[in-house]
Amino acid sequence: MERRLVGIVFNGRLNEARSLAQRIAQAVGPDAWLAPTEGLDSSARLMGRSRLVITVGGDGTILRTARLAAPSAVPIVGVNMGRVGFMTELSPQEVLERLPAYLEGKGWIEERTMLEARVVGSGHSPEEEGIPTFHGLNDAVVARGTVSRLIHLGVRVDGEDVATYAADGIIVASPTGSTGYALAVGGPILDPRLDCLLLKPLAAHLGMNTALVLPGQVKVDITVQSEHPVVLSVDGFQDLMLADGDTVRVARSSYRARFLRAHPPSHFYRGLFVRLGIQPRPSTPLFSLPNEDARSPHDH
């Protein structure tokens, strides 16, 4: 029987992340494999043979990893080397101490909705023309390129016309992505356990900036009505240039991101409060290390 591996993916631009990733790999042993986010696509075969992947970086590292891990349903444990890390699970100071429990599979699996975006209009056939289908955990953004002018974007939901926006662009976000770009432009915060989509215009003209929360099963079509450069960006790092008349369809992906968690689902709000500058109460993981059993939960 083939041995199941443990991947360690790190932000290659951070020396501290690389160093910690190497220490984690040593602790895991011969089943470990290492990859920086910049060369992650070359590790697809290893990802498919893995039972767990540990990311060392921030939420951006998780976004890149989730795209590759989701098709094989590989769960992720994130180590936060950034400022907040909404999706991360561990701090650098505690990862080596808690690592054995995660390797044993303790905790629970959290699944999160992902998005799929592809060009479906203007006579293009993604299969025939080689136009890719993008899968992302955070959001799909159709927005103006380098020219600083409003663009016009027609939006339909399940084939019904919603509006034509004169705006800098439109974000379609998952619940996970509601705390990213969408939040920065005034969108609502959604609990990541929800099954829905968030549509948020970017700097829309004439007061059309209101966000829409849509059922998870709908298909959102965004049609470019502009001669100026327009770009489709998925999770901030998968880009495709669009032309006048192109239609992008954003829908719920058939893939789901999976996270191995020690903290209860409500721990999401702790990270949210920290980011908003609110001091949260201490939280208690669902499992503890042997030498922690005698401590009060508030000592963790």
Side-chain angles (χ1 to χ4, degrees):
M1 183 175 178
E2 187 178 50
R3 295 173 66 179
R4 301 290 283 171
L5 306 177
V6 176
I8 299 98
V9 178
F10 60 92
N11 184 342
R13 295 173 297 178
L14 296 177
N15 290 333
E16 299 89 345
R18 182 185 299 272
S19 176
L20 180 56
Q22 291 170 343
R23 291 166 60 198
I24 294 171
Q26 290 175 355
V28 171
D31 292 340
W33 58 269
L34 274 165
T37 52
E38 294 79 4
L40 189 55
D41 285 345
S42 63
S43 300
R45 184 181 62 85
L46 291 172
M47 187 71 78
R49 295 175 52 201
S50 299
R51 59 186 173 92
L52 181 69
V53 60
I54 301 166
T55 64
V56 185
D59 284 346
T61 305
I62 288 181
L63 293 176
R64 286 166 169 78
T65 303
R67 180 177 59 88
L68 202 64
S72 300
V74 180
I76 297 169
V77 173
V79 181
N80 184 27
M81 303 291 289
R83 290 173 296 175
V84 178
F86 272 114
M87 290 176 276
T88 55
E89 175 81 359
L90 296 168
S91 70
Q93 294 75 29
E94 64 184 347
V95 57
L96 293 175
E97 184 182 18
R98 292 192 176 275
L99 182 61
Y102 288 97
L103 294 178
E104 292 170 10
K106 291 184 178 180
W108 61 286
I109 296 293
E110 177 189 30
E111 293 192 351
R112 293 194 178 189
T113 296
M114 295 182 69
L115 303 175
E116 173 188 291
R118 60 192 180 98
V119 177
V120 296
S122 192
H124 291 295
S125 168
E127 293 78 13
E128 295 177 4
E129 301 292 338
I131 298 175
T133 296
F134 297 109
H135 295 269
L137 176 55
N138 253 11
D139 51 38
V141 182
V142 178
R144 62 177 176 82
T146 56
V147 178
S148 183
R149 294 184 181 178
L150 289 177
I151 56 175
H152 290 83
L153 300 169
V155 174
R156 296 191 304 276
V157 175
D158 281 348
E160 293 293 331
D161 289 331
V162 173
T164 297
Y165 291 89
D168 283 354
I170 290 174
I171 302 170
V172 180
S174 69
T176 297
S178 71
T179 57
Y181 192 8
L183 178 61
V185 295
I189 297 171
L190 305 179
D191 189 299
R193 293 169 291 183
L194 292 174
D195 179 19
C196 60
L197 302 179
L198 171 64
L199 189 151
K200 180 68 176 74
L202 288 167
H205 189 48
L206 296 178
M208 296 180 65
N209 275 308
T210 303
L212 298 177
V213 178
L214 305 169
Q217 70 271 20
V218 302
K219 295 177 173 61
V220 179
D221 289 342
I222 303 172
T223 301
V224 178
Q225 301 173 7
S226 174
E227 296 179 357
H228 304 303
V230 177
V231 178
L232 165 65
S233 180
V234 179
D235 280 357
F237 62 92
Q238 301 178 88
D239 296 333
L240 180 69
M241 293 299 301
L242 302 173
D244 184 23
D246 282 349
T247 295
V248 174
R249 174 164 294 169
V250 184
R252 181 175 54 195
S253 172
S254 58
Y255 302 138
R256 292 178 67 83
R258 305 177 84 234
F259 294 89
L260 180 57
R261 301 294 196 193
H263 296 282
S266 59
H267 189 72
F268 162 76
Y269 295 101
R270 177 181 174 83
L272 175 63
F273 293 153
V274 169
R275 184 166 185 174
L276 297 178
I278 302 170
Q279 182 60 43
R281 297 180 60 185
S283 65
T284 305
L286 295 184
F287 62 80
S288 59
L289 297 173
N291 63 354
E292 292 180 324
D293 292 339
R295 288 193 240 163
S296 164
H298 297 293
D299 292 335
H300 289 192

